[in-house]
Amino acid sequence: MAALKYAGMDDTDSEDELPPGWEERSTKDGWVYYANHDDMKTQWEHPKTGKKKRCAGDLPYGWEQETDEKGQIVYVDHINKRSTYFDPRQAFTVEDVVVKPKRYDGNTAALEILQGRDLSDKVVLITGGNSGIGLETARSLALHGAHVVLACRNLTRGNKAARLIQDEWHKARVEAMMCDLSSMRSVRDFAQAFNAKKLPLHILVCNAAVCTQPWSLTEDGFESTFQICHLGHFLLVQCLEDVLRRSAPARVVVVSSESHRFTDLSDTCGKVDLALLSPPKTNYWSMLAYNRAKLCNILFSNELNRRLSPHGVTCNAVHPGNMMYTAIHRSWWLMTFLFTLARPFTKSMGWTDIADVTKQKNGLEVTDLKQ
């Protein structure tokens, strides 16, 4: 008690009551800290109890968290037309305790993974972000504050997807830009336009893909599945490598597939046969072309991580899950039929439900969002 008296902390009766000169505040994500106006210092622990606390739950109805011109967090009560620097949730703080990490499984959604994360200082670029896994990824990151750029080959559909996310949260920062991975010229034009924005790039998600496509050649003379799934992303990363390095720590995420295991790139002598990557029509099978492109994704991701990780840019290849229901199979009726049979046993994505709810309001059909 003598030490408390010397520190000026014996003037209060309640254990949680702050001594003179101290003020309780909270961070943007709800953690409580304590400011000492006499010593001009802050600390996480309560000056008397030594405990850490955090705000429980969401802001009350009608309240919103904003930032003033000095960069300080301010809480706005839209119902009563007033604002304060005091977090209204501080009336319901709970003691910080050590919680075991949550176990994520096949039923865990992206929003659950990101719960409590503040991504407001991050810029994310997602290819094929207007449908399927790309749209769910874009939505989840944008709702946690990230500035998300959707790189889409169809700008109209990209803009519709961006509006869909912004309808869910009016402060979501989402924009669509034209990028057709089947055209090297389009990829270079996109990279030039993105660099002209002078934005950093903290996360690049190479997501766009096609599967079960009929054989065709791109304007660059490559088989279309190989170019869209791999070559286009390969060039895109090369074009954006400088901005990724300047934005370090940054990361590249390559969305791959377990199907990469069901092929190889070797000829009968065990040597890599590059002719297998972009075969003529007579030697083409759509699923095999997809599998080979995904194998290239894995090899590219590993080598990219080896080269760029010393510069603060990591790269990971991610398998999104077996039989995840998306529209990637739409080019082949047989695969569509098999996916339809399997759908009750596969994982659905939250964006499907949002599209169903908002399509009448916005005049959108779910099919409009397909890439």
Side-chain angles (χ1 to χ4, degrees):
M1 291 300 295
L4 290 177
K5 182 176 182 180
Y6 180 81
M9 296 183 182
D10 63 338
D11 297 332
T12 59
D13 297 326
S14 171
E15 183 184 57
D16 289 328
E17 189 174 345
L18 290 171
W22 287 83
E23 181 185 358
E24 186 178 84
R25 299 177 180 175
S26 65
T27 62
K28 187 175 182 180
D29 55 356
W31 289 101
V32 175
Y33 68 98
Y34 303 91
N36 186 331
H37 295 293
D38 295 332
D39 296 339
M40 301 298 290
K41 67 177 184 179
T42 60
Q43 62 188 53
W44 295 109
E45 299 81 9
H46 191 285
K48 291 178 64 176
T49 66
K51 296 178 180 179
K52 294 181 180 180
K53 295 195 297 182
R54 58 182 175 83
C55 298
D58 299 325
L59 288 170
Y61 177 76
W63 286 80
E64 189 171 18
Q65 187 182 84
E66 295 184 354
T67 305
D68 64 13
E69 62 276 3
K70 296 182 180 179
Q72 290 184 300
I73 298 172
V74 60
Y75 298 90
V76 180
D77 181 358
H78 292 288
I79 297 177
N80 298 306
K81 308 297 182 184
R82 61 191 179 95
S83 62
T84 177
Y85 289 100
F86 181 81
D87 188 339
R89 296 173 298 173
Q90 288 182 216
F92 306 98
T93 55
V94 295
E95 184 178 343
D96 179 32
V97 295
V98 178
V99 180
K100 292 183 179 180
K102 181 177 178 180
R103 182 180 179 86
Y104 299 115
D105 56 27
N107 296 318
T108 307
L111 286 174
E112 295 178 74
I113 299 291
L114 293 173
Q115 185 175 5
R117 302 272 184 173
D118 179 12
L119 303 177
S120 56
D121 60 339
K122 304 299 182 184
V123 176
V124 183
L125 170 60
I126 305 173
T127 63
N130 63 291
S131 65
I133 296 171
L135 178 55
E136 178 66 11
T137 303
R139 169 183 174 250
S140 302
L141 293 170
L143 294 183
H144 283 80
H147 179 176
V148 179
V149 178
L150 310 178
C152 309
R153 66 180 180 183
N154 187 312
L155 195 56
T156 300
R157 294 172 183 171
N159 287 328
K160 286 182 179 180
R163 288 198 301 271
L164 186 66
I165 297 171
Q166 290 164 345
D167 285 344
E168 188 173 3
W169 185 39
H170 70 284
K171 288 190 174 182
R173 296 177 294 163
V174 190
E175 60 177 305
M177 296 178 64
M178 169 66 184
C179 181
D180 184 354
L181 294 170
S182 66
S183 167
M184 301 296 189
R185 172 184 48 80
S186 178
V187 172
R188 292 189 178 94
D189 289 345
F190 168 82
Q192 185 177 4
F194 181 86
N195 287 326
K197 289 178 174 289
K198 304 298 182 183
L199 290 172
L201 180 56
H202 303 101
I203 305 174
L204 169 57
V205 182
C206 299
N207 162 77
V210 292
C211 184
T212 64
Q213 290 274 100
W215 183 88
S216 65
L217 292 179
T218 66
E219 64 183 49
D220 303 293
F222 296 102
E223 189 276 314
S224 59
T225 299
F226 175 55
Q227 179 162 337
I228 294 171
C229 293
H230 177 65
L231 280 185
H233 285 126
F234 185 97
L235 177 61
L236 180 63
V237 173
Q238 304 307 308
C239 292
L240 297 177
E241 181 178 334
D242 289 343
V243 68
L244 283 167
R245 289 195 186 197
R246 291 196 301 269
S247 306
R251 68 180 64 187
V252 178
V253 179
V254 180
V255 179
S256 185
S257 170
E258 279 290 288
S259 64
H260 81 274
R261 302 180 185 278
F262 304 108
T263 188
D264 59 50
L265 302 176
S266 302
D267 58 18
T268 55
C269 299
K271 296 183 179 180
V272 175
D273 185 0
L274 297 180
L276 296 174
L277 297 176
S278 185
K281 187 175 182 178
T282 52
N283 296 334
Y284 177 77
W285 182 38
S286 59
M287 279 304 303
L288 193 56
Y290 178 78
N291 296 352
R292 286 168 176 164
K294 288 302 171 181
L295 177 56
C296 289
N297 286 165
I298 300 289
L299 298 174
F300 170 60
S301 174
N302 290 342
E303 180 62 17
L304 189 67
N305 186 69
R306 187 186 71 83
R307 295 190 183 195
L308 294 188
S309 56
H311 304 282
V313 181
T314 58
C315 184
N316 302 96
V318 177
H319 169 48
N322 289 319
M323 296 298 287
M324 172 79 76
Y325 187 84
T326 71
I328 193 173
H329 53 78
R330 61 186 178 272
S331 299
W332 189 13
W333 69 269
L334 177 59
M335 192 63 68
T336 300
F337 176 71
L338 293 176
F339 267 71
T340 301
L341 292 178
R343 185 169 190 178
F345 310 101
T346 59
K347 184 176 179 180
S348 297
M349 293 173 287
W351 64 268
T352 303
D353 297 329
I354 294 173
D356 289 339
V357 171
T358 59
K359 65 180 181 180
Q360 293 181 348
K361 175 182 176 183
N362 299 323
L364 296 176
E365 293 294 338
V366 177
T367 52
D368 288 339
L369 297 175
K370 294 178 182 178
Q371 190 179 21

